[in-house]
Amino acid sequence: MPESNDDSFRNMNKKEKIATVVGIALLILFVAGFIFGLYFFGLAGVFKVLGVQYDSVWSLAIFVVNLLVIGLIFEVFSNVIFKLSVRNMTGKAKVLMIRFLIEAITNWVVIFTVDELMRSITLSLQTEIIIAIFIATLEIVFDDKDTKKNTAE
């Protein structure tokens, strides 16, 4: 058998360790920037279509950052609620409807909270609900593998 090329982090010299850490940090920053960009430009487009006014691009950026941070916190709780709700449920349509309702309500609470914290962007209740439903739909469409796995169990 050929010799194993053991390139563990512990066996690297200082220069290789720094390069590895910087490479991983850049990858994480790239992914975070990509997600931020999707939300930023997506919300900018939705705000344009719905006629939402905001003071500046920076206020929209702060809105998106707050939306992502608070959304991550709420996402943990909504996933627990979803998993507990559909644990003994059969039928893909029921599971999908429960997931959609939980996602939409969670997204609305997050959007409402961020809107109340910020004074530079003001959303009407109707606009908040439309955006929450839109985001919930996109999350379910792009994360459909999770629903398929839960209904198969």
Side-chain angles (χ1 to χ4, degrees):
M1 232 173 146
E3 254 183 61
S4 157
N5 195 2
D6 190 8
D7 287 338
S8 71
F9 191 75
R10 196 174 295 155
N11 295 337
M12 293 180 181
N13 63 30
K14 202 175 211 180
K15 195 175 195 180
E16 291 172 332
K17 286 181 182 180
I18 291 172
T20 302
V21 169
V22 168
I24 292 171
L26 286 174
L27 180 65
I28 291 170
L29 281 173
F30 176 74
V31 169
F34 184 74
I35 292 170
F36 174 79
L38 283 177
Y39 268 89
F40 180 80
F41 290 114
L43 278 176
V46 170
F47 283 0
K48 184 78 168 174
V49 168
L50 296 175
V52 175
Q53 300 290 326
Y54 46 90
D55 292 346
S56 67
V57 175
W58 286 109
S59 62
L60 180 61
I62 292 169
F63 184 85
V64 170
V65 168
N66 287 333
L67 191 72
L68 290 173
V69 170
I70 295 173
L72 283 174
I73 296 167
F74 276 82
E75 186 78 21
V76 172
F77 296 109
S78 71
N79 281 340
V80 170
I81 291 169
F82 171 68
K83 298 232 190 260
L84 290 174
S85 298
V86 299
R87 185 172 48 183
N88 298 322
M89 198 176 287
T90 58
K92 189 174 183 174
K94 286 182 187 177
V95 171
L96 189 62
M97 184 56 75
I98 295 294
R99 179 164 183 211
F100 178 76
L101 287 172
I102 291 171
E103 292 283 345
I105 291 169
T106 303
N107 287 333
W108 175 74
V109 169
V110 170
I111 291 168
F112 177 79
T113 304
V114 172
D115 183 41
E116 290 301 313
L117 292 174
M118 293 187 65
R119 297 289 169 228
S120 58
I121 295 178
T122 305
L123 302 173
S124 68
L125 179 62
Q126 226 176 4
T127 304
E128 289 174 357
I129 292 171
I130 290 169
I131 294 170
I133 290 171
F134 179 70
I135 293 173
T137 304
L138 288 176
E139 285 177 350
I140 290 172
V141 166
F142 288 118
D143 195 31
D144 196 34
K145 64 179 167 66
D146 206 26
T147 304
K148 288 179 184 173
K149 186 174 71 174
N150 285 332
T151 56
E153 293 175 348

PDB file of all heavy atoms in Angstrom, residues 109-133:
ATOM      1  N   VAL A 109     -42.966  37.407  12.115  1.00  0.00           N
ATOM      2  CA  VAL A 109     -42.547  37.908  13.430  1.00  0.00           C
ATOM      3  C   VAL A 109     -41.169  38.567  13.326  1.00  0.00           C
ATOM      4  O   VAL A 109     -40.930  39.630  13.912  1.00  0.00           O
ATOM      5  CB  VAL A 109     -42.552  36.770  14.481  1.00  0.00           C
ATOM      6  CG1 VAL A 109     -41.867  37.193  15.761  1.00  0.00           C
ATOM      7  CG2 VAL A 109     -43.971  36.307  14.767  1.00  0.00           C
ATOM      8  N   VAL A 110     -40.266  37.948  12.573  1.00  0.00           N
ATOM      9  CA  VAL A 110     -38.922  38.515  12.405  1.00  0.00           C
ATOM     10  C   VAL A 110     -38.998  39.855  11.667  1.00  0.00           C
ATOM     11  O   VAL A 110     -38.389  40.846  12.094  1.00  0.00           O
ATOM     12  CB  VAL A 110     -37.995  37.526  11.661  1.00  0.00           C
ATOM     13  CG1 VAL A 110     -36.688  38.191  11.269  1.00  0.00           C
ATOM     14  CG2 VAL A 110     -37.735  36.293  12.504  1.00  0.00           C
ATOM     15  N   ILE A 111     -39.741  39.901  10.578  1.00  0.00           N
ATOM     16  CA  ILE A 111     -39.862  41.144   9.802  1.00  0.00           C
ATOM     17  C   ILE A 111     -40.530  42.226  10.641  1.00  0.00           C
ATOM     18  O   ILE A 111     -40.092  43.386  10.646  1.00  0.00           O
ATOM     19  CB  ILE A 111     -40.639  40.890   8.495  1.00  0.00           C
ATOM     20  CG1 ILE A 111     -39.797  40.019   7.560  1.00  0.00           C
ATOM     21  CG2 ILE A 111     -41.017  42.196   7.808  1.00  0.00           C
ATOM     22  CD1 ILE A 111     -40.563  39.476   6.377  1.00  0.00           C
ATOM     23  N   PHE A 112     -41.576  41.867  11.381  1.00  0.00           N
ATOM     24  CA  PHE A 112     -42.258  42.825  12.247  1.00  0.00           C
ATOM     25  C   PHE A 112     -41.302  43.375  13.303  1.00  0.00           C
ATOM     26  O   PHE A 112     -41.265  44.583  13.547  1.00  0.00           O
ATOM     27  CB  PHE A 112     -43.465  42.150  12.908  1.00  0.00           C
ATOM     28  CG  PHE A 112     -44.191  43.035  13.880  1.00  0.00           C
ATOM     29  CD1 PHE A 112     -45.069  43.999  13.428  1.00  0.00           C
ATOM     30  CD2 PHE A 112     -43.978  42.911  15.247  1.00  0.00           C
ATOM     31  CE1 PHE A 112     -45.733  44.826  14.323  1.00  0.00           C
ATOM     32  CE2 PHE A 112     -44.634  43.728  16.144  1.00  0.00           C
ATOM     33  CZ  PHE A 112     -45.519  44.691  15.679  1.00  0.00           C
ATOM     34  N   THR A 113     -40.516  42.486  13.909  1.00  0.00           N
ATOM     35  CA  THR A 113     -39.571  42.900  14.948  1.00  0.00           C
ATOM     36  C   THR A 113     -38.519  43.856  14.390  1.00  0.00           C
ATOM     37  O   THR A 113     -38.245  44.905  14.985  1.00  0.00           O
ATOM     38  CB  THR A 113     -38.885  41.673  15.567  1.00  0.00           C
ATOM     39  OG1 THR A 113     -39.891  40.785  16.072  1.00  0.00           O
ATOM     40  CG2 THR A 113     -37.950  42.060  16.689  1.00  0.00           C
ATOM     41  N   VAL A 114     -37.942  43.499  13.258  1.00  0.00           N
ATOM     42  CA  VAL A 114     -36.916  44.355  12.647  1.00  0.00           C
ATOM     43  C   VAL A 114     -37.527  45.694  12.234  1.00  0.00           C
ATOM     44  O   VAL A 114     -36.908  46.748  12.421  1.00  0.00           O
ATOM     45  CB  VAL A 114     -36.247  43.643  11.452  1.00  0.00           C
ATOM     46  CG1 VAL A 114     -35.320  44.586  10.704  1.00  0.00           C
ATOM     47  CG2 VAL A 114     -35.491  42.414  11.918  1.00  0.00           C
ATOM     48  N   ASP A 115     -38.737  45.657  11.694  1.00  0.00           N
ATOM     49  CA  ASP A 115     -39.412  46.893  11.289  1.00  0.00           C
ATOM     50  C   ASP A 115     -39.665  47.802  12.485  1.00  0.00           C
ATOM     51  O   ASP A 115     -39.502  49.024  12.391  1.00  0.00           O
ATOM     52  CB  ASP A 115     -40.727  46.559  10.586  1.00  0.00           C
ATOM     53  CG  ASP A 115     -41.447  47.793  10.085  1.00  0.00           C
ATOM     54  OD1 ASP A 115     -40.773  48.701   9.556  1.00  0.00           O
ATOM     55  OD2 ASP A 115     -42.678  47.852  10.223  1.00  0.00           O
ATOM     56  N   GLU A 116     -40.027  47.216  13.612  1.00  0.00           N
ATOM     57  CA  GLU A 116     -40.278  48.022  14.810  1.00  0.00           C
ATOM     58  C   GLU A 116     -38.984  48.584  15.400  1.00  0.00           C
ATOM     59  O   GLU A 116     -38.993  49.647  16.006  1.00  0.00           O
ATOM     60  CB  GLU A 116     -41.025  47.202  15.869  1.00  0.00           C
ATOM     61  CG  GLU A 116     -42.456  46.896  15.494  1.00  0.00           C
ATOM     62  CD  GLU A 116     -43.290  48.133  15.253  1.00  0.00           C
ATOM     63  OE1 GLU A 116     -43.234  49.067  16.086  1.00  0.00           O
ATOM     64  OE2 GLU A 116     -43.998  48.186  14.230  1.00  0.00           O
ATOM     65  N   LEU A 117     -37.881  47.867  15.232  1.00  0.00           N
ATOM     66  CA  LEU A 117     -36.598  48.342  15.757  1.00  0.00           C
ATOM     67  C   LEU A 117     -36.001  49.471  14.925  1.00  0.00           C
ATOM     68  O   LEU A 117     -35.224  50.267  15.433  1.00  0.00           O
ATOM     69  CB  LEU A 117     -35.598  47.181  15.830  1.00  0.00           C
ATOM     70  CG  LEU A 117     -35.891  46.093  16.855  1.00  0.00           C
ATOM     71  CD1 LEU A 117     -34.891  44.951  16.713  1.00  0.00           C
ATOM     72  CD2 LEU A 117     -35.863  46.660  18.262  1.00  0.00           C
ATOM     73  N   MET A 118     -36.370  49.530  13.656  1.00  0.00           N
ATOM     74  CA  MET A 118     -35.788  50.528  12.756  1.00  0.00           C
ATOM     75  C   MET A 118     -36.793  51.634  12.447  1.00  0.00           C
ATOM     76  O   MET A 118     -37.971  51.355  12.235  1.00  0.00           O
ATOM     77  CB  MET A 118     -35.341  49.859  11.452  1.00  0.00           C
ATOM     78  CG  MET A 118     -34.197  48.906  11.627  1.00  0.00           C
ATOM     79  SD  MET A 118     -33.578  48.316  10.067  1.00  0.00           S
ATOM     80  CE  MET A 118     -32.953  49.800   9.341  1.00  0.00           C
ATOM     81  N   ARG A 119     -36.318  52.836  12.397  1.00  0.00           N
ATOM     82  CA  ARG A 119     -37.167  53.975  12.050  1.00  0.00           C
ATOM     83  C   ARG A 119     -36.953  54.427  10.602  1.00  0.00           C
ATOM     84  O   ARG A 119     -37.759  55.166  10.068  1.00  0.00           O
ATOM     85  CB  ARG A 119     -36.892  55.151  12.993  1.00  0.00           C
ATOM     86  CG  ARG A 119     -37.218  54.856  14.421  1.00  0.00           C
ATOM     87  CD  ARG A 119     -38.720  54.772  14.621  1.00  0.00           C
ATOM     88  NE  ARG A 119     -39.009  54.237  15.937  1.00  0.00           N
ATOM     89  CZ  ARG A 119     -39.865  53.262  16.157  1.00  0.00           C
ATOM     90  NH1 ARG A 119     -40.511  52.706  15.163  1.00  0.00           N
ATOM     91  NH2 ARG A 119     -40.094  52.840  17.377  1.00  0.00           N
ATOM     92  N   SER A 120     -35.902  53.959   9.964  1.00  0.00           N
ATOM     93  CA  SER A 120     -35.598  54.414   8.610  1.00  0.00           C
ATOM     94  C   SER A 120     -36.366  53.646   7.543  1.00  0.00           C
ATOM     95  O   SER A 120     -36.423  54.072   6.395  1.00  0.00           O
ATOM     96  CB  SER A 120     -34.098  54.312   8.346  1.00  0.00           C
ATOM     97  OG  SER A 120     -33.662  52.985   8.517  1.00  0.00           O
ATOM     98  N   ILE A 121     -36.975  52.523   7.915  1.00  0.00           N
ATOM     99  CA  ILE A 121     -37.814  51.751   7.003  1.00  0.00           C
ATOM    100  C   ILE A 121     -39.122  51.482   7.726  1.00  0.00           C
ATOM    101  O   ILE A 121     -39.129  51.011   8.861  1.00  0.00           O
ATOM    102  CB  ILE A 121     -37.156  50.405   6.609  1.00  0.00           C
ATOM    103  CG1 ILE A 121     -35.887  50.652   5.813  1.00  0.00           C
ATOM    104  CG2 ILE A 121     -38.121  49.550   5.811  1.00  0.00           C
ATOM    105  CD1 ILE A 121     -35.149  49.395   5.420  1.00  0.00           C
ATOM    106  N   THR A 122     -40.217  51.798   7.061  1.00  0.00           N
ATOM    107  CA  THR A 122     -41.523  51.552   7.643  1.00  0.00           C
ATOM    108  C   THR A 122     -42.329  50.697   6.677  1.00  0.00           C
ATOM    109  O   THR A 122     -42.542  51.076   5.528  1.00  0.00           O
ATOM    110  CB  THR A 122     -42.270  52.870   7.920  1.00  0.00           C
ATOM    111  OG1 THR A 122     -41.437  53.694   8.738  1.00  0.00           O
ATOM    112  CG2 THR A 122     -43.580  52.623   8.610  1.00  0.00           C
ATOM    113  N   LEU A 123     -42.748  49.543   7.171  1.00  0.00           N
ATOM    114  CA  LEU A 123     -43.531  48.618   6.360  1.00  0.00           C
ATOM    115  C   LEU A 123     -44.956  48.566   6.889  1.00  0.00           C
ATOM    116  O   LEU A 123     -45.173  48.567   8.100  1.00  0.00           O
ATOM    117  CB  LEU A 123     -42.928  47.214   6.412  1.00  0.00           C
ATOM    118  CG  LEU A 123     -41.483  47.050   5.957  1.00  0.00           C
ATOM    119  CD1 LEU A 123     -40.999  45.642   6.242  1.00  0.00           C
ATOM    120  CD2 LEU A 123     -41.366  47.348   4.485  1.00  0.00           C
ATOM    121  N   SER A 124     -45.909  48.472   5.975  1.00  0.00           N
ATOM    122  CA  SER A 124     -47.293  48.276   6.402  1.00  0.00           C
ATOM    123  C   SER A 124     -47.479  46.805   6.763  1.00  0.00           C
ATOM    124  O   SER A 124     -46.676  45.947   6.388  1.00  0.00           O
ATOM    125  CB  SER A 124     -48.252  48.676   5.283  1.00  0.00           C
ATOM    126  OG  SER A 124     -48.129  47.771   4.199  1.00  0.00           O
ATOM    127  N   LEU A 125     -48.546  46.506   7.476  1.00  0.00           N
ATOM    128  CA  LEU A 125     -48.824  45.121   7.869  1.00  0.00           C
ATOM    129  C   LEU A 125     -48.994  44.242   6.642  1.00  0.00           C
ATOM    130  O   LEU A 125     -48.488  43.121   6.595  1.00  0.00           O
ATOM    131  CB  LEU A 125     -50.076  45.060   8.754  1.00  0.00           C
ATOM    132  CG  LEU A 125     -50.500  43.681   9.233  1.00  0.00           C
ATOM    133  CD1 LEU A 125     -49.404  43.074  10.109  1.00  0.00           C
ATOM    134  CD2 LEU A 125     -51.807  43.755   9.979  1.00  0.00           C
ATOM    135  N   GLN A 126     -49.664  44.761   5.638  1.00  0.00           N
ATOM    136  CA  GLN A 126     -49.868  44.023   4.391  1.00  0.00           C
ATOM    137  C   GLN A 126     -48.529  43.678   3.727  1.00  0.00           C
ATOM    138  O   GLN A 126     -48.318  42.549   3.287  1.00  0.00           O
ATOM    139  CB  GLN A 126     -50.688  44.891   3.436  1.00  0.00           C
ATOM    140  CG  GLN A 126     -51.793  44.197   2.764  1.00  0.00           C
ATOM    141  CD  GLN A 126     -52.585  45.185   1.911  1.00  0.00           C
ATOM    142  OE1 GLN A 126     -52.233  46.374   1.790  1.00  0.00           O
ATOM    143  NE2 GLN A 126     -53.649  44.707   1.329  1.00  0.00           N
ATOM    144  N   THR A 127     -47.636  44.629   3.673  1.00  0.00           N
ATOM    145  CA  THR A 127     -46.325  44.417   3.059  1.00  0.00           C
ATOM    146  C   THR A 127     -45.528  43.405   3.858  1.00  0.00           C
ATOM    147  O   THR A 127     -44.864  42.538   3.276  1.00  0.00           O
ATOM    148  CB  THR A 127     -45.562  45.752   2.972  1.00  0.00           C
ATOM    149  OG1 THR A 127     -46.355  46.693   2.254  1.00  0.00           O
ATOM    150  CG2 THR A 127     -44.235  45.576   2.278  1.00  0.00           C
ATOM    151  N   GLU A 128     -45.576  43.485   5.183  1.00  0.00           N
ATOM    152  CA  GLU A 128     -44.870  42.516   6.024  1.00  0.00           C
ATOM    153  C   GLU A 128     -45.359  41.102   5.749  1.00  0.00           C
ATOM    154  O   GLU A 128     -44.554  40.173   5.624  1.00  0.00           O
ATOM    155  CB  GLU A 128     -45.083  42.840   7.508  1.00  0.00           C
ATOM    156  CG  GLU A 128     -44.374  44.077   7.975  1.00  0.00           C
ATOM    157  CD  GLU A 128     -44.730  44.449   9.397  1.00  0.00           C
ATOM    158  OE1 GLU A 128     -45.595  43.773  10.014  1.00  0.00           O
ATOM    159  OE2 GLU A 128     -44.153  45.426   9.909  1.00  0.00           O
ATOM    160  N   ILE A 129     -46.667  40.929   5.629  1.00  0.00           N
ATOM    161  CA  ILE A 129     -47.238  39.603   5.383  1.00  0.00           C
ATOM    162  C   ILE A 129     -46.848  39.104   3.998  1.00  0.00           C
ATOM    163  O   ILE A 129     -46.480  37.935   3.837  1.00  0.00           O
ATOM    164  CB  ILE A 129     -48.764  39.630   5.575  1.00  0.00           C
ATOM    165  CG1 ILE A 129     -49.079  39.867   7.058  1.00  0.00           C
ATOM    166  CG2 ILE A 129     -49.405  38.341   5.092  1.00  0.00           C
ATOM    167  CD1 ILE A 129     -50.542  40.127   7.352  1.00  0.00           C
ATOM    168  N   ILE A 130     -46.888  39.958   3.008  1.00  0.00           N
ATOM    169  CA  ILE A 130     -46.513  39.554   1.642  1.00  0.00           C
ATOM    170  C   ILE A 130     -45.050  39.114   1.604  1.00  0.00           C
ATOM    171  O   ILE A 130     -44.709  38.078   1.023  1.00  0.00           O
ATOM    172  CB  ILE A 130     -46.767  40.701   0.640  1.00  0.00           C
ATOM    173  CG1 ILE A 130     -48.266  40.913   0.464  1.00  0.00           C
ATOM    174  CG2 ILE A 130     -46.102  40.424  -0.705  1.00  0.00           C
ATOM    175  CD1 ILE A 130     -48.638  42.178  -0.291  1.00  0.00           C
ATOM    176  N   ILE A 131     -44.173  39.878   2.229  1.00  0.00           N
ATOM    177  CA  ILE A 131     -42.748  39.534   2.248  1.00  0.00           C
ATOM    178  C   ILE A 131     -42.523  38.241   3.022  1.00  0.00           C
ATOM    179  O   ILE A 131     -41.728  37.389   2.604  1.00  0.00           O
ATOM    180  CB  ILE A 131     -41.913  40.695   2.819  1.00  0.00           C
ATOM    181  CG1 ILE A 131     -41.975  41.897   1.878  1.00  0.00           C
ATOM    182  CG2 ILE A 131     -40.462  40.277   3.031  1.00  0.00           C
ATOM    183  CD1 ILE A 131     -41.381  43.164   2.447  1.00  0.00           C
ATOM    184  N   ALA A 132     -43.221  38.060   4.140  1.00  0.00           N
ATOM    185  CA  ALA A 132     -43.080  36.835   4.936  1.00  0.00           C
ATOM    186  C   ALA A 132     -43.516  35.606   4.141  1.00  0.00           C
ATOM    187  O   ALA A 132     -42.837  34.565   4.163  1.00  0.00           O
ATOM    188  CB  ALA A 132     -43.893  36.940   6.223  1.00  0.00           C
ATOM    189  N   ILE A 133     -44.617  35.712   3.418  1.00  0.00           N
ATOM    190  CA  ILE A 133     -45.094  34.594   2.595  1.00  0.00           C
ATOM    191  C   ILE A 133     -44.116  34.326   1.461  1.00  0.00           C
ATOM    192  O   ILE A 133     -43.811  33.169   1.144  1.00  0.00           O
ATOM    193  CB  ILE A 133     -46.513  34.887   2.074  1.00  0.00           C
ATOM    194  CG1 ILE A 133     -47.504  34.824   3.241  1.00  0.00           C
ATOM    195  CG2 ILE A 133     -46.907  33.925   0.968  1.00  0.00           C
ATOM    196  CD1 ILE A 133     -48.904  35.293   2.893  1.00  0.00           C
TER     197      ILE A 133
END
